[in-house]
């Protein structure tokens, strides 16, 4: 059973909306000459972010998904990232935007970019809603970042705690009152 926890609001739905508008202006400008943008969501955490993002991108987009191995119990830096579900479409010669909910150690994004680069897209950029730079174990940074956050356990807006709370409309910070009380 999951230990009792509470969720403190960290980033409101309104703040996320406003940031997405800003980010989309930058993305549209960076891909101004693009005829079709392939937007690749990394499952499962990015499903809410990608849905809001593509609705704000008034340009020709195609949506595809990749699923990588879950975080699971493995927290070691050398952990291997496996592809559980590959893209449906080809990306060779195409313009691609990879959408991540959070960059933590950076292993997931790093592995995914290595894989996608080998397929020779014309242009490959990345966006992450959240970034925890203090946790980084790889030399990677998304092209666009929504919010830099401290090393807190976050949930909501697609991000889970033991598969729960993905449906919260805001980003919350998980606290364990019993542990805090000692
Ligand atoms: C989480 C998150 C990122 C990744 C970030 O996914 O959604 O994809 O971990 O961590 P990293 O930078 O240390 O690699 P997870 O594997 O928990 O799966 P989920 O998206 O299905 O929740």
């Amino acid at each position: 059973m999951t230990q009792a926890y509470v969720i403190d609001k960290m980033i409101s739905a309104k703040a996320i909306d406003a940031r997405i508008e800003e980010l989309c202006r930058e993305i549209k400008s960076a891909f101004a000459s693009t005829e079709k943008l392939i937007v690749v969501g990394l499952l499962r955490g990015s499903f809410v972010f990608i849905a809001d993002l593509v609705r704000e991108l008034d340009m020709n987009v195609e949506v595809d998904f990749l699923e990588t191995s879950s975080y699971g119990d493995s927290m070691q830096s050398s952990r291997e990232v496996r592809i559980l579900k590959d893209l449906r479409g080809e990306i060779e010669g195409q313009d691609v935007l990879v959408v991540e909910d959070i960059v933590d150690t950076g292993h997931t994004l790093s592995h995914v970019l290595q894989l996608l680069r080998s397929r020779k897209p014309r242009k490959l950029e990345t966006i992450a809603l959240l970034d925890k730079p203090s946790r980084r174990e790889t030399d990677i940074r998304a092209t666009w970042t929504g919010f830099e956050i401290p090393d807190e356990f976050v949930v909501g807006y697609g991000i889970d705690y033991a598969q729960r709370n993905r449906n919260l409309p805001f980003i919350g910070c998980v606290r364990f009152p019993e542990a805090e009380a000692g």
Side-chain angles (χ1 to χ4, degrees):
M1 229 184 74
T2 323
Q3 201 185 336
Y5 62 98
V6 294
I7 298 170
D8 294 333
K9 194 178 278 187
M10 184 190 252
I11 307 171
S12 70
K14 208 172 155 194
I16 296 172
D17 277 358
R19 186 69 184 122
I20 288 177
E21 267 187 45
E22 284 175 1
L23 291 165
C24 284
R25 275 198 292 274
E26 291 180 28
I27 293 168
K28 279 187 283 187
S29 154
F31 286 102
S33 61
T34 296
E35 280 176 25
K36 178 185 72 181
L37 179 62
I38 302 181
V39 184
V40 172
L42 302 192
L43 293 172
R44 288 173 263 184
S46 73
F47 78 102
V48 178
F49 185 34
I50 193 174
D52 282 348
L53 201 65
V54 294
R55 283 180 294 175
E56 191 61 36
L57 278 177
D58 52 346
M59 56 191 291
N60 185 19
V61 302
E62 240 179 58
V63 176
D64 208 337
F65 292 97
L66 251 186
E67 185 170 8
T68 54
S69 55
S70 163
Y71 217 75
D73 298 328
S74 164
M75 299 285 284
Q76 2 15 355
S77 59
S78 60
R79 87 182 196 287
E80 205 181 308
V81 179
R82 284 180 307 121
I83 301 297
L84 301 181
K85 183 213 164 292
D86 207 340
L87 297 178
R88 290 279 292 274
E90 305 288 329
I91 58 164
E92 186 172 347
Q94 310 279 326
D95 289 358
V96 179
L97 176 66
V98 175
V99 181
E100 193 39 311
D101 52 342
I102 182 165
V103 182
D104 193 327
T105 65
H107 287 293
T108 305
L109 193 57
S110 183
H111 183 89
V112 165
L113 288 181
Q114 198 182 357
L115 173 77
L116 297 186
R117 264 191 214 110
S118 73
R119 296 178 185 178
K120 307 203 170 3
R122 190 177 80 100
K123 188 167 172 173
L124 180 63
E125 304 292 355
T126 52
I127 182 166
L129 180 70
L130 304 178
D131 189 0
K132 273 190 197 174
S134 62
R135 294 260 308 160
R136 198 72 89 256
E137 294 174 6
T138 55
D139 183 21
I140 197 147
R141 198 170 194 286
T143 318
W144 294 280
T145 295
F147 303 90
E148 274 195 13
I149 59 167
D151 185 14
E152 301 279 2
F153 191 164
V154 290
V155 291
Y157 201 74
I159 302 171
D160 72 306
Y161 170 44
Q163 300 308 325
R164 290 155 60 167
N165 307 120
R166 290 193 197 269
N167 56 332
L168 286 176
F170 57 87
I171 297 290
C173 176
V174 173
R175 279 195 307 109
F176 299 92
E178 279 175 31
E180 283 167 17

